Amino acid sequence: MTSEEHARLMRANQANWDARTPVHVGSRFYGLDQGLDPDRWFAAFEWEDLGELTGRDVLHLQCHLGTETIAFARRGARAVGLDFSAASVTAATGIAAKAGVEVRYVQANVYDAVEALQGRRFDVVYTGKGALCYLPDLRRWAEVVARLLRPGGRLYVVEFHPLLNALGPKPGPGEGPELLLRHDYLGGAGPVHRDATHTYTDGPAVQGATDCYEWTHGIGEVLNALVDAGLTVRRLRESDELPWPRWPRMVRTESGWWRLPEPRIPLLYGLSATL
C-alpha cells in the first residue's frame, strides 16, 4: 500500500475520531462528569518504569482526551499532548483547564510531530493503550520518536497485547463465554476496515464519519522498528490485566483492574526504550 493510500485512510480515521469525541466526552467510560481520575488508566508498573517526572519534558502521542497527559503534569512534568483530531485537542484543552492543570495540546498527525512541535525534544515520549493500531507504518513512527527524544531520552509504550486483539467470542447464535483465536496476531495483511458507528465506550451512535481503519502490529514488529531507528530496548513487561472488562467473563483483581479467569494470558504490555 502506498504512502498516499495510508494518508487517505488516516484522514478517514481522523474524521472518525472527530466524530467520536463528543460521545466519549459524555460517556460513563471516561466518567468526566464524575470527577477526573487519570490515575485509573495506569498500571502500577508504568509509574515504576517511568520513574521521577518532576521537571521532565514529557510528550504524550495520540493523546485523545488527554487524561493520561494530565497525570504526567500532576507529577510535575512539563506535559504536551499531541493528537490528529481537532475535536479531541479542543476537548482535552477544556478538560485540563477545568482541572486547573497546565498542559499544552497540539493538533498534528504523529508522522508530522517533529515539524508540529518545531523540533522540540523531550525526556520522555509516551504512547498509551489503543494507539499503535491506528498507525500504518511503525518504522516511520519509530524514526519520528527518535527525532523527538533527547539523547538518553526514554520512549514508553503501553499497549494492548496482540494476543488480546487476536481473541474474540465464537460467532453466531448461542455465543458463549469461550474465546477463540479469530484475528491475525502478526501484521502485514493490510488494514482492517471497521464500522465505528459505536465505539468502545457507552453512549449514542457516532454521527457523521464512521469508517475506521486499523493495522495489526505484533510485538516483534514494534521491537524491530525501534531497534532499527537507533533505540535500545530496556524492558518488556507483559500483564494479564486491563483497566476495564473487555469481555463479560472477566473478573476484578485486587488492583481494581480486570483479567480473564485461568489460564492466564497477556492482555497488555509495557515497553521501555532509550535513545
Side-chain angles (χ1 to χ4, degrees):
M1 184 171 285
T2 67
S3 58
E4 290 79 8
E5 184 66 7
H6 283 165
R8 183 185 70 81
L9 298 185
M10 290 191 76
R11 286 194 297 272
N13 283 351
Q14 180 178 343
N16 176 242
W17 281 90
D18 281 340
R20 291 185 191 202
T21 296
V23 176
H24 291 183
V25 168
S27 70
R28 293 189 303 275
F29 183 90
Y30 282 101
L32 297 175
D33 60 344
Q34 302 165 18
L36 186 65
D37 180 20
D39 282 358
R40 71 187 179 100
W41 299 111
F42 290 87
F45 67 75
E46 295 185 56
W47 298 120
E48 181 182 336
D49 290 347
L50 284 165
E52 179 60 56
L53 296 180
T54 301
R56 315 281 311 268
D57 292 310
V58 177
L59 172 63
H60 179 190
L61 295 177
Q62 297 171 270
C63 67
H64 190 33
L65 300 181
T67 48
E68 294 102 314
T69 327
I70 288 173
F72 301 140
R74 285 181 170 174
R75 281 167 170 75
R78 292 182 291 270
V80 177
L82 181 141
D83 199 274
F84 67 174
S85 163
S88 292
V89 167
T90 298
T93 301
I95 292 165
K98 185 177 179 180
V101 178
E102 184 176 348
V103 179
R104 179 190 174 203
Y105 291 103
V106 176
Q107 182 198 355
N109 188 302
V110 167
Y111 297 130
D112 301 324
V114 173
E115 294 76 16
L117 295 164
Q118 300 177 321
R120 180 177 172 182
R121 293 201 166 199
F122 295 83
D123 300 302
V124 178
V125 172
Y126 178 87
T127 295
K129 307 156 191 73
L132 295 186
C133 65
Y134 296 103
L135 299 179
D137 188 341
L138 281 198
R139 290 185 177 275
R140 186 178 170 197
W141 162 78
E143 291 166 358
V144 169
V145 167
R147 294 174 64 193
L148 291 167
L149 285 170
R150 293 188 174 117
R154 179 185 302 272
L155 167 70
Y156 198 66
V157 175
V158 181
E159 257 298 356
F160 300 127
H161 200 283
L163 181 57
L164 167 72
N165 295 326
L167 291 174
K170 183 179 180 180
E175 180 179 296
E178 184 181 18
L179 296 174
L180 306 176
L181 283 170
R182 294 188 55 199
H183 312 289
D184 286 346
Y185 175 104
L186 299 174
V192 176
H193 177 223
R194 301 192 188 281
D195 176 5
T197 301
H198 295 278
T199 75
Y200 54 86
T201 72
D202 55 282
V206 170
Q207 300 298 313
T210 58
D211 284 323
C212 179
Y213 298 89
E214 298 179 16
W215 288 264
T216 298
H217 303 296
I219 290 181
E221 182 185 356
V222 178
L223 289 171
N224 290 333
L226 295 173
V227 170
D228 289 347
L231 280 79
T232 300
V233 176
R234 300 294 184 182
R235 181 185 292 271
L236 175 65
R237 296 181 186 258
E238 293 178 304
S239 171
D240 64 348
E241 296 187 359
L242 293 176
W244 91 105
R246 168 84 175 256
W247 293 295
R249 66 179 300 207
M250 298 186 79
V251 295
R252 198 142 203 182
T253 69
E254 292 182 0
S255 71
W257 282 26
W258 303 79
R259 70 171 180 83
L260 287 166
E262 294 183 352
R264 297 172 62 201
I265 60 170
L267 303 177
L268 196 74
Y269 72 90
L271 186 156
S272 179
T274 56
L275 185 64

PDB file of all heavy atoms in Angstrom, residues 122-149:
ATOM      1  N   PHE A 122      12.282  15.852  23.833  1.00  0.00           N
ATOM      2  CA  PHE A 122      11.657  15.505  25.101  1.00  0.00           C
ATOM      3  C   PHE A 122      12.482  14.463  25.851  1.00  0.00           C
ATOM      4  O   PHE A 122      13.212  13.669  25.256  1.00  0.00           O
ATOM      5  CB  PHE A 122      10.240  14.977  24.863  1.00  0.00           C
ATOM      6  CG  PHE A 122       9.320  16.007  24.283  1.00  0.00           C
ATOM      7  CD1 PHE A 122       9.299  16.255  22.910  1.00  0.00           C
ATOM      8  CD2 PHE A 122       8.479  16.753  25.103  1.00  0.00           C
ATOM      9  CE1 PHE A 122       8.452  17.215  22.375  1.00  0.00           C
ATOM     10  CE2 PHE A 122       7.641  17.718  24.575  1.00  0.00           C
ATOM     11  CZ  PHE A 122       7.629  17.953  23.208  1.00  0.00           C
ATOM     12  N   ASP A 123      12.319  14.482  27.183  1.00  0.00           N
ATOM     13  CA  ASP A 123      12.944  13.465  28.028  1.00  0.00           C
ATOM     14  C   ASP A 123      12.193  12.142  27.947  1.00  0.00           C
ATOM     15  O   ASP A 123      12.797  11.072  28.042  1.00  0.00           O
ATOM     16  CB  ASP A 123      12.966  13.938  29.491  1.00  0.00           C
ATOM     17  CG  ASP A 123      13.731  15.228  29.675  1.00  0.00           C
ATOM     18  OD1 ASP A 123      14.926  15.263  29.332  1.00  0.00           O
ATOM     19  OD2 ASP A 123      13.125  16.219  30.152  1.00  0.00           O
ATOM     20  N   VAL A 124      10.866  12.245  27.802  1.00  0.00           N
ATOM     21  CA  VAL A 124      10.020  11.056  27.745  1.00  0.00           C
ATOM     22  C   VAL A 124       8.988  11.228  26.641  1.00  0.00           C
ATOM     23  O   VAL A 124       8.340  12.281  26.549  1.00  0.00           O
ATOM     24  CB  VAL A 124       9.292  10.812  29.082  1.00  0.00           C
ATOM     25  CG1 VAL A 124       8.366   9.596  28.973  1.00  0.00           C
ATOM     26  CG2 VAL A 124      10.280  10.618  30.231  1.00  0.00           C
ATOM     27  N   VAL A 125       8.842  10.228  25.802  1.00  0.00           N
ATOM     28  CA  VAL A 125       7.733  10.147  24.851  1.00  0.00           C
ATOM     29  C   VAL A 125       6.899   8.940  25.264  1.00  0.00           C
ATOM     30  O   VAL A 125       7.431   7.833  25.431  1.00  0.00           O
ATOM     31  CB  VAL A 125       8.222   9.995  23.403  1.00  0.00           C
ATOM     32  CG1 VAL A 125       7.041   9.722  22.468  1.00  0.00           C
ATOM     33  CG2 VAL A 125       8.962  11.253  22.950  1.00  0.00           C
ATOM     34  N   TYR A 126       5.594   9.175  25.436  1.00  0.00           N
ATOM     35  CA  TYR A 126       4.691   8.134  25.917  1.00  0.00           C
ATOM     36  C   TYR A 126       3.620   7.866  24.870  1.00  0.00           C
ATOM     37  O   TYR A 126       3.054   8.797  24.282  1.00  0.00           O
ATOM     38  CB  TYR A 126       4.025   8.596  27.221  1.00  0.00           C
ATOM     39  CG  TYR A 126       3.012   7.641  27.816  1.00  0.00           C
ATOM     40  CD1 TYR A 126       3.404   6.624  28.690  1.00  0.00           C
ATOM     41  CD2 TYR A 126       1.650   7.760  27.526  1.00  0.00           C
ATOM     42  CE1 TYR A 126       2.472   5.750  29.246  1.00  0.00           C
ATOM     43  CE2 TYR A 126       0.712   6.892  28.083  1.00  0.00           C
ATOM     44  CZ  TYR A 126       1.131   5.902  28.949  1.00  0.00           C
ATOM     45  OH  TYR A 126       0.201   5.054  29.501  1.00  0.00           O
ATOM     46  N   THR A 127       3.358   6.585  24.636  1.00  0.00           N
ATOM     47  CA  THR A 127       2.246   6.178  23.775  1.00  0.00           C
ATOM     48  C   THR A 127       1.394   5.200  24.562  1.00  0.00           C
ATOM     49  O   THR A 127       1.896   4.192  25.051  1.00  0.00           O
ATOM     50  CB  THR A 127       2.748   5.521  22.479  1.00  0.00           C
ATOM     51  OG1 THR A 127       3.466   6.487  21.712  1.00  0.00           O
ATOM     52  CG2 THR A 127       1.582   5.019  21.652  1.00  0.00           C
ATOM     53  N   GLY A 128       0.104   5.509  24.708  1.00  0.00           N
ATOM     54  CA  GLY A 128      -0.769   4.737  25.586  1.00  0.00           C
ATOM     55  C   GLY A 128      -1.588   3.696  24.860  1.00  0.00           C
ATOM     56  O   GLY A 128      -1.411   3.421  23.668  1.00  0.00           O
ATOM     57  N   LYS A 129      -2.515   3.152  25.577  1.00  0.00           N
ATOM     58  CA  LYS A 129      -3.269   1.971  25.175  1.00  0.00           C
ATOM     59  C   LYS A 129      -4.206   2.250  23.996  1.00  0.00           C
ATOM     60  O   LYS A 129      -4.969   3.195  24.028  1.00  0.00           O
ATOM     61  CB  LYS A 129      -4.051   1.460  26.379  1.00  0.00           C
ATOM     62  CG  LYS A 129      -3.148   1.238  27.601  1.00  0.00           C
ATOM     63  CD  LYS A 129      -3.910   1.296  28.896  1.00  0.00           C
ATOM     64  CE  LYS A 129      -2.955   1.343  30.080  1.00  0.00           C
ATOM     65  NZ  LYS A 129      -2.267   2.644  30.245  1.00  0.00           N
ATOM     66  N   GLY A 130      -4.125   1.413  22.981  1.00  0.00           N
ATOM     67  CA  GLY A 130      -5.016   1.544  21.829  1.00  0.00           C
ATOM     68  C   GLY A 130      -4.595   2.591  20.838  1.00  0.00           C
ATOM     69  O   GLY A 130      -5.450   3.211  20.207  1.00  0.00           O
ATOM     70  N   ALA A 131      -3.286   2.814  20.669  1.00  0.00           N
ATOM     71  CA  ALA A 131      -2.806   3.864  19.768  1.00  0.00           C
ATOM     72  C   ALA A 131      -2.126   3.303  18.520  1.00  0.00           C
ATOM     73  O   ALA A 131      -2.377   3.759  17.401  1.00  0.00           O
ATOM     74  CB  ALA A 131      -1.842   4.798  20.513  1.00  0.00           C
ATOM     75  N   LEU A 132      -1.243   2.321  18.699  1.00  0.00           N
ATOM     76  CA  LEU A 132      -0.427   1.865  17.572  1.00  0.00           C
ATOM     77  C   LEU A 132      -1.241   1.252  16.448  1.00  0.00           C
ATOM     78  O   LEU A 132      -0.808   1.245  15.293  1.00  0.00           O
ATOM     79  CB  LEU A 132       0.625   0.861  18.050  1.00  0.00           C
ATOM     80  CG  LEU A 132       1.697   1.397  19.008  1.00  0.00           C
ATOM     81  CD1 LEU A 132       2.740   0.320  19.275  1.00  0.00           C
ATOM     82  CD2 LEU A 132       2.347   2.663  18.486  1.00  0.00           C
ATOM     83  N   CYS A 133      -2.429   0.731  16.755  1.00  0.00           N
ATOM     84  CA  CYS A 133      -3.241   0.103  15.706  1.00  0.00           C
ATOM     85  C   CYS A 133      -3.729   1.114  14.666  1.00  0.00           C
ATOM     86  O   CYS A 133      -4.189   0.724  13.593  1.00  0.00           O
ATOM     87  CB  CYS A 133      -4.430  -0.643  16.310  1.00  0.00           C
ATOM     88  SG  CYS A 133      -5.634   0.413  17.149  1.00  0.00           S
ATOM     89  N   TYR A 134      -3.623   2.405  14.969  1.00  0.00           N
ATOM     90  CA  TYR A 134      -4.047   3.424  14.008  1.00  0.00           C
ATOM     91  C   TYR A 134      -2.879   3.970  13.187  1.00  0.00           C
ATOM     92  O   TYR A 134      -3.055   4.934  12.443  1.00  0.00           O
ATOM     93  CB  TYR A 134      -4.762   4.559  14.738  1.00  0.00           C
ATOM     94  CG  TYR A 134      -6.049   4.090  15.386  1.00  0.00           C
ATOM     95  CD1 TYR A 134      -6.128   3.861  16.747  1.00  0.00           C
ATOM     96  CD2 TYR A 134      -7.177   3.817  14.615  1.00  0.00           C
ATOM     97  CE1 TYR A 134      -7.290   3.389  17.342  1.00  0.00           C
ATOM     98  CE2 TYR A 134      -8.338   3.340  15.188  1.00  0.00           C
ATOM     99  CZ  TYR A 134      -8.390   3.126  16.559  1.00  0.00           C
ATOM    100  OH  TYR A 134      -9.538   2.644  17.140  1.00  0.00           O
ATOM    101  N   LEU A 135      -1.716   3.338  13.314  1.00  0.00           N
ATOM    102  CA  LEU A 135      -0.537   3.754  12.554  1.00  0.00           C
ATOM    103  C   LEU A 135      -0.195   2.687  11.518  1.00  0.00           C
ATOM    104  O   LEU A 135       0.078   1.540  11.882  1.00  0.00           O
ATOM    105  CB  LEU A 135       0.648   3.969  13.495  1.00  0.00           C
ATOM    106  CG  LEU A 135       0.473   5.052  14.560  1.00  0.00           C
ATOM    107  CD1 LEU A 135       1.707   5.128  15.434  1.00  0.00           C
ATOM    108  CD2 LEU A 135       0.178   6.397  13.925  1.00  0.00           C
ATOM    109  N   PRO A 136      -0.168   3.028  10.240  1.00  0.00           N
ATOM    110  CA  PRO A 136       0.111   2.031   9.208  1.00  0.00           C
ATOM    111  C   PRO A 136       1.571   1.640   9.095  1.00  0.00           C
ATOM    112  O   PRO A 136       1.887   0.545   8.639  1.00  0.00           O
ATOM    113  CB  PRO A 136      -0.382   2.707   7.927  1.00  0.00           C
ATOM    114  CG  PRO A 136      -0.275   4.177   8.207  1.00  0.00           C
ATOM    115  CD  PRO A 136      -0.581   4.331   9.670  1.00  0.00           C
ATOM    116  N   ASP A 137       2.480   2.536   9.496  1.00  0.00           N
ATOM    117  CA  ASP A 137       3.912   2.340   9.244  1.00  0.00           C
ATOM    118  C   ASP A 137       4.677   2.518  10.546  1.00  0.00           C
ATOM    119  O   ASP A 137       4.963   3.646  10.968  1.00  0.00           O
ATOM    120  CB  ASP A 137       4.380   3.334   8.186  1.00  0.00           C
ATOM    121  CG  ASP A 137       5.810   3.089   7.721  1.00  0.00           C
ATOM    122  OD1 ASP A 137       6.560   2.406   8.450  1.00  0.00           O
ATOM    123  OD2 ASP A 137       6.187   3.592   6.647  1.00  0.00           O
ATOM    124  N   LEU A 138       5.041   1.427  11.220  1.00  0.00           N
ATOM    125  CA  LEU A 138       5.739   1.526  12.506  1.00  0.00           C
ATOM    126  C   LEU A 138       7.195   1.933  12.342  1.00  0.00           C
ATOM    127  O   LEU A 138       7.759   2.560  13.250  1.00  0.00           O
ATOM    128  CB  LEU A 138       5.647   0.206  13.263  1.00  0.00           C
ATOM    129  CG  LEU A 138       4.336  -0.090  13.986  1.00  0.00           C
ATOM    130  CD1 LEU A 138       4.551  -1.186  15.036  1.00  0.00           C
ATOM    131  CD2 LEU A 138       3.747   1.150  14.653  1.00  0.00           C
ATOM    132  N   ARG A 139       7.825   1.611  11.249  1.00  0.00           N
ATOM    133  CA  ARG A 139       9.205   2.047  11.049  1.00  0.00           C
ATOM    134  C   ARG A 139       9.273   3.569  10.973  1.00  0.00           C
ATOM    135  O   ARG A 139      10.161   4.192  11.571  1.00  0.00           O
ATOM    136  CB  ARG A 139       9.800   1.404   9.787  1.00  0.00           C
ATOM    137  CG  ARG A 139      10.052  -0.079   9.938  1.00  0.00           C
ATOM    138  CD  ARG A 139      10.755  -0.671   8.735  1.00  0.00           C
ATOM    139  NE  ARG A 139      11.037  -2.072   8.938  1.00  0.00           N
ATOM    140  CZ  ARG A 139      12.120  -2.543   9.569  1.00  0.00           C
ATOM    141  NH1 ARG A 139      13.009  -1.685  10.042  1.00  0.00           N
ATOM    142  NH2 ARG A 139      12.289  -3.830   9.717  1.00  0.00           N
ATOM    143  N   ARG A 140       8.352   4.149  10.274  1.00  0.00           N
ATOM    144  CA  ARG A 140       8.311   5.605  10.180  1.00  0.00           C
ATOM    145  C   ARG A 140       7.982   6.222  11.542  1.00  0.00           C
ATOM    146  O   ARG A 140       8.556   7.231  11.931  1.00  0.00           O
ATOM    147  CB  ARG A 140       7.265   6.016   9.133  1.00  0.00           C
ATOM    148  CG  ARG A 140       7.232   7.503   8.827  1.00  0.00           C
ATOM    149  CD  ARG A 140       6.198   7.761   7.768  1.00  0.00           C
ATOM    150  NE  ARG A 140       5.935   9.188   7.591  1.00  0.00           N
ATOM    151  CZ  ARG A 140       4.881   9.688   6.984  1.00  0.00           C
ATOM    152  NH1 ARG A 140       3.967   8.851   6.467  1.00  0.00           N
ATOM    153  NH2 ARG A 140       4.722  10.987   6.875  1.00  0.00           N
ATOM    154  N   TRP A 141       7.083   5.595  12.284  1.00  0.00           N
ATOM    155  CA  TRP A 141       6.750   6.052  13.640  1.00  0.00           C
ATOM    156  C   TRP A 141       7.983   6.037  14.526  1.00  0.00           C
ATOM    157  O   TRP A 141       8.262   7.001  15.246  1.00  0.00           O
ATOM    158  CB  TRP A 141       5.662   5.146  14.208  1.00  0.00           C
ATOM    159  CG  TRP A 141       5.499   5.200  15.700  1.00  0.00           C
ATOM    160  CD1 TRP A 141       4.883   6.154  16.437  1.00  0.00           C
ATOM    161  CD2 TRP A 141       5.968   4.212  16.641  1.00  0.00           C
ATOM    162  NE1 TRP A 141       4.926   5.845  17.781  1.00  0.00           N
ATOM    163  CE2 TRP A 141       5.584   4.654  17.926  1.00  0.00           C
ATOM    164  CE3 TRP A 141       6.651   3.007  16.520  1.00  0.00           C
ATOM    165  CZ2 TRP A 141       5.893   3.929  19.084  1.00  0.00           C
ATOM    166  CZ3 TRP A 141       6.951   2.277  17.664  1.00  0.00           C
ATOM    167  CH2 TRP A 141       6.572   2.748  18.922  1.00  0.00           C
ATOM    168  N   ALA A 142       8.746   4.945  14.492  1.00  0.00           N
ATOM    169  CA  ALA A 142       9.930   4.835  15.334  1.00  0.00           C
ATOM    170  C   ALA A 142      10.973   5.892  14.968  1.00  0.00           C
ATOM    171  O   ALA A 142      11.644   6.448  15.847  1.00  0.00           O
ATOM    172  CB  ALA A 142      10.529   3.430  15.209  1.00  0.00           C
ATOM    173  N   GLU A 143      11.097   6.184  13.690  1.00  0.00           N
ATOM    174  CA  GLU A 143      12.033   7.232  13.269  1.00  0.00           C
ATOM    175  C   GLU A 143      11.604   8.592  13.799  1.00  0.00           C
ATOM    176  O   GLU A 143      12.447   9.414  14.206  1.00  0.00           O
ATOM    177  CB  GLU A 143      12.118   7.249  11.741  1.00  0.00           C
ATOM    178  CG  GLU A 143      12.817   6.019  11.159  1.00  0.00           C
ATOM    179  CD  GLU A 143      12.602   5.875   9.666  1.00  0.00           C
ATOM    180  OE1 GLU A 143      11.874   6.726   9.079  1.00  0.00           O
ATOM    181  OE2 GLU A 143      13.138   4.901   9.078  1.00  0.00           O
ATOM    182  N   VAL A 144      10.301   8.857  13.807  1.00  0.00           N
ATOM    183  CA  VAL A 144       9.791  10.109  14.375  1.00  0.00           C
ATOM    184  C   VAL A 144      10.081  10.170  15.873  1.00  0.00           C
ATOM    185  O   VAL A 144      10.534  11.194  16.398  1.00  0.00           O
ATOM    186  CB  VAL A 144       8.276  10.253  14.106  1.00  0.00           C
ATOM    187  CG1 VAL A 144       7.677  11.403  14.911  1.00  0.00           C
ATOM    188  CG2 VAL A 144       8.019  10.458  12.616  1.00  0.00           C
ATOM    189  N   VAL A 145       9.836   9.080  16.568  1.00  0.00           N
ATOM    190  CA  VAL A 145      10.100   9.034  18.011  1.00  0.00           C
ATOM    191  C   VAL A 145      11.566   9.344  18.296  1.00  0.00           C
ATOM    192  O   VAL A 145      11.887  10.109  19.214  1.00  0.00           O
ATOM    193  CB  VAL A 145       9.712   7.658  18.590  1.00  0.00           C
ATOM    194  CG1 VAL A 145      10.260   7.484  20.004  1.00  0.00           C
ATOM    195  CG2 VAL A 145       8.197   7.489  18.596  1.00  0.00           C
ATOM    196  N   ALA A 146      12.472   8.767  17.517  1.00  0.00           N
ATOM    197  CA  ALA A 146      13.901   9.004  17.717  1.00  0.00           C
ATOM    198  C   ALA A 146      14.241  10.489  17.549  1.00  0.00           C
ATOM    199  O   ALA A 146      15.099  11.014  18.267  1.00  0.00           O
ATOM    200  CB  ALA A 146      14.713   8.158  16.740  1.00  0.00           C
ATOM    201  N   ARG A 147      13.560  11.161  16.644  1.00  0.00           N
ATOM    202  CA  ARG A 147      13.818  12.596  16.428  1.00  0.00           C
ATOM    203  C   ARG A 147      13.175  13.464  17.507  1.00  0.00           C
ATOM    204  O   ARG A 147      13.570  14.618  17.681  1.00  0.00           O
ATOM    205  CB  ARG A 147      13.298  13.005  15.054  1.00  0.00           C
ATOM    206  CG  ARG A 147      14.044  12.356  13.888  1.00  0.00           C
ATOM    207  CD  ARG A 147      13.383  12.684  12.560  1.00  0.00           C
ATOM    208  NE  ARG A 147      13.436  14.111  12.278  1.00  0.00           N
ATOM    209  CZ  ARG A 147      12.732  14.702  11.317  1.00  0.00           C
ATOM    210  NH1 ARG A 147      11.881  13.978  10.574  1.00  0.00           N
ATOM    211  NH2 ARG A 147      12.844  16.004  11.105  1.00  0.00           N
ATOM    212  N   LEU A 148      12.204  12.910  18.231  1.00  0.00           N
ATOM    213  CA  LEU A 148      11.533  13.660  19.294  1.00  0.00           C
ATOM    214  C   LEU A 148      12.247  13.545  20.637  1.00  0.00           C
ATOM    215  O   LEU A 148      12.019  14.360  21.536  1.00  0.00           O
ATOM    216  CB  LEU A 148      10.095  13.179  19.453  1.00  0.00           C
ATOM    217  CG  LEU A 148       9.137  13.509  18.316  1.00  0.00           C
ATOM    218  CD1 LEU A 148       7.849  12.704  18.464  1.00  0.00           C
ATOM    219  CD2 LEU A 148       8.825  15.002  18.272  1.00  0.00           C
ATOM    220  N   LEU A 149      13.103  12.536  20.786  1.00  0.00           N
ATOM    221  CA  LEU A 149      13.765  12.288  22.060  1.00  0.00           C
ATOM    222  C   LEU A 149      15.114  12.999  22.145  1.00  0.00           C
ATOM    223  O   LEU A 149      15.862  13.069  21.158  1.00  0.00           O
ATOM    224  CB  LEU A 149      13.997  10.793  22.264  1.00  0.00           C
ATOM    225  CG  LEU A 149      12.781   9.948  22.634  1.00  0.00           C
ATOM    226  CD1 LEU A 149      13.143   8.469  22.557  1.00  0.00           C
ATOM    227  CD2 LEU A 149      12.269  10.303  24.021  1.00  0.00           C
TER     228      LEU A 149
END
